[in-house]
Amino acid sequence: MSERRRPHRGSGRRGDHRDAKGSGGVPVDPKGQSHPDDLTEPDDLTEPDESEPDDLTDLVDVTVGGGIGSEPGDPVDPDEPVDSDRSGAVARKPRRGARASRRARGVSGLRLLLLTVGAIVVVIALTAVAYFSPLMSVRTIEVTGNSIVQSPEIVAAAALSKGEPLMQVDTAAAAQRVSMIPRVATVRVKREYPSTITVSVVERQPVVFTERDGKRYLMDKLGFEFAQQDPPPGLAELVTPNPGSGDPSTRAALSVMTGVPAYVADQVARIEVTSPVNIVLQLKDNRTVVWGDDERNGEKAETLRHVLGQEGTEYNVSSPQNPTFK
């Protein structure tokens, strides 16, 4: 009885999924009964035979061994050989397309690099030709904007010479030299390819003139005395203790003369300024206008236009809302 129980415990320990030979290679007859003579000891039944694969190993082999493209979404090992069937052909197509795309990008990048290098070389070559070659040298010097200062004086001050390579002309230095001419207010020197230098000037315009020591000086809107000469007809005289660009009374008088309409400025024969808030205009018809400071010049000019129609010799428009005359 004990010998028949031992194989029963052994077969239960190993499970019912063994093949026809039974657990541990024990032969089983067709009726399902084991032979007592071939039964092993219980200790032998507890250790599986290393020559036979374990059940878990079999399951793993079945799961992983599908190969490339066996199921959708399975990982593809690039080192495994690709079958010549339809799934293998499909696996090759993306890889070929990626290589072609990379090759196209490489060719495009190389073409762009070559074009960029070529453009840089062309620019450097043209710059070298313009800077050193006599083909682009100064052949013409043009002066524009001048009416009083003569063109030869301006060209001489600029120190420009024909035959000099156009790119080697220092235009900033030439403009600085021309600006030293007193009557020149602003100047610009520029290149015009292929062989011309243009000097554009703006001359100072007199706003008033001053007189001291028997000499008359023309003064521009900034208070700069730029010429000693007789003033043009109709130019007003500025009378103030210390005329000049740094004098507050001078700046106030010039603010009035440049801020009023022409119908007022043209009537002024002399502007007397004892302080920035005490400006008096002497008109050409010997009438006097008390202006006050240099604020609200437009309003004062409009008020003066109306009150000049009234009989009188002195008009006060320092308060444009309340003018007086006598």
Side-chain angles (χ1 to χ4, degrees):
M1 295 293 292
S2 61
E3 291 179 353
R4 290 183 178 276
R5 291 176 182 174
R6 287 179 182 177
H8 179 71
R9 288 198 307 268
S11 60
R13 183 181 301 173
R14 297 296 294 176
D16 297 332
H17 60 276
R18 290 293 187 176
D19 54 12
K21 291 183 180 182
S23 302
V26 178
V28 180
D29 59 8
K31 295 181 179 181
Q33 297 180 355
S34 60
H35 299 279
D37 296 337
D38 296 331
L39 293 176
T40 57
E41 294 295 328
D43 294 336
D44 295 335
L45 295 175
T46 60
E47 295 181 3
D49 187 2
E50 295 179 359
S51 62
E52 293 183 4
D54 189 73
D55 295 339
L56 296 177
T57 305
D58 294 339
L59 293 175
V60 171
D61 292 340
V62 170
T63 303
V64 180
I68 299 174
S70 58
E71 291 292 336
D74 288 346
V76 178
D77 188 357
D79 296 330
E80 291 186 18
V82 181
D83 295 335
S84 59
D85 58 358
R86 187 171 181 269
S87 62
V90 172
R92 283 193 182 96
K93 288 182 181 179
R95 299 171 66 181
R96 292 175 181 173
R99 285 196 296 269
S101 178
R102 288 194 297 269
R103 188 181 301 110
R105 288 196 298 269
V107 172
S108 179
L110 179 60
R111 184 182 296 110
L112 179 61
L113 177 61
L114 292 177
L115 290 175
T116 302
V117 172
I120 294 174
V121 171
V122 170
V123 170
I124 293 175
L126 292 177
T127 302
V129 169
Y131 194 83
F132 296 106
S133 175
L135 298 176
M136 299 183 67
S137 59
V138 178
R139 293 184 175 86
T140 305
I141 301 174
E142 297 181 353
V143 179
T144 62
N146 59 315
S147 60
I148 304 299
V149 185
Q150 299 298 311
S151 296
E153 180 182 357
I154 295 175
V155 173
L160 299 173
S161 58
K162 295 181 179 181
E164 183 180 1
L166 200 64
M167 290 294 294
Q168 296 185 27
V169 174
D170 191 341
T171 56
Q176 180 65 29
R177 291 190 290 268
V178 174
S179 68
M180 300 304 292
I181 300 175
R183 191 177 284 270
V184 173
T186 61
V187 58
R188 180 185 179 188
V189 179
K190 64 178 181 179
R191 305 178 184 89
E192 293 186 359
Y193 297 96
S195 58
T196 302
I197 292 291
T198 301
V199 182
S200 303
V201 300
V202 176
E203 296 179 339
R204 299 181 188 273
Q205 300 298 321
V207 176
V208 295
F209 74 92
T210 60
E211 184 175 352
R212 61 182 181 273
D213 301 329
K215 298 178 181 179
R216 295 178 175 181
Y217 300 88
L218 303 182
M219 181 178 286
D220 69 356
K221 62 182 180 180
L222 300 177
F224 180 72
E225 294 178 337
F226 60 88
Q228 177 192 337
Q229 66 179 63
D230 289 335
L235 190 65
E237 179 185 5
L238 172 63
V239 179
T240 189
N242 300 296
S245 59
D247 178 46
S249 296
T250 300
R251 292 198 299 267
L254 295 173
S255 175
V256 172
M257 294 301 295
T258 57
V260 296
Y263 66 82
V264 174
D266 292 343
Q267 297 185 62
V268 178
R270 186 169 64 177
I271 177 169
E272 298 177 357
V273 186
T274 57
S275 73
V277 296
N278 188 13
I279 302 171
V280 178
L281 307 180
Q282 296 292 333
L283 303 184
K284 294 176 181 178
D285 58 5
N286 295 323
R287 289 185 290 182
T288 302
V289 178
V290 178
W291 199 266
D293 58 19
D294 62 337
E295 300 293 332
R296 304 166 67 183
N297 292 324
E299 296 179 33
K300 294 176 181 179
E302 184 64 20
T303 300
L304 180 61
R305 186 173 68 87
H306 291 289
V307 300
L308 281 179
Q310 306 296 325
E311 291 290 337
T313 59
E314 183 177 311
Y315 303 86
N316 190 327
V317 295
S318 58
S319 178
Q321 287 82 9
N322 300 295
T324 62
F325 58 93
K326 58 182 180 180

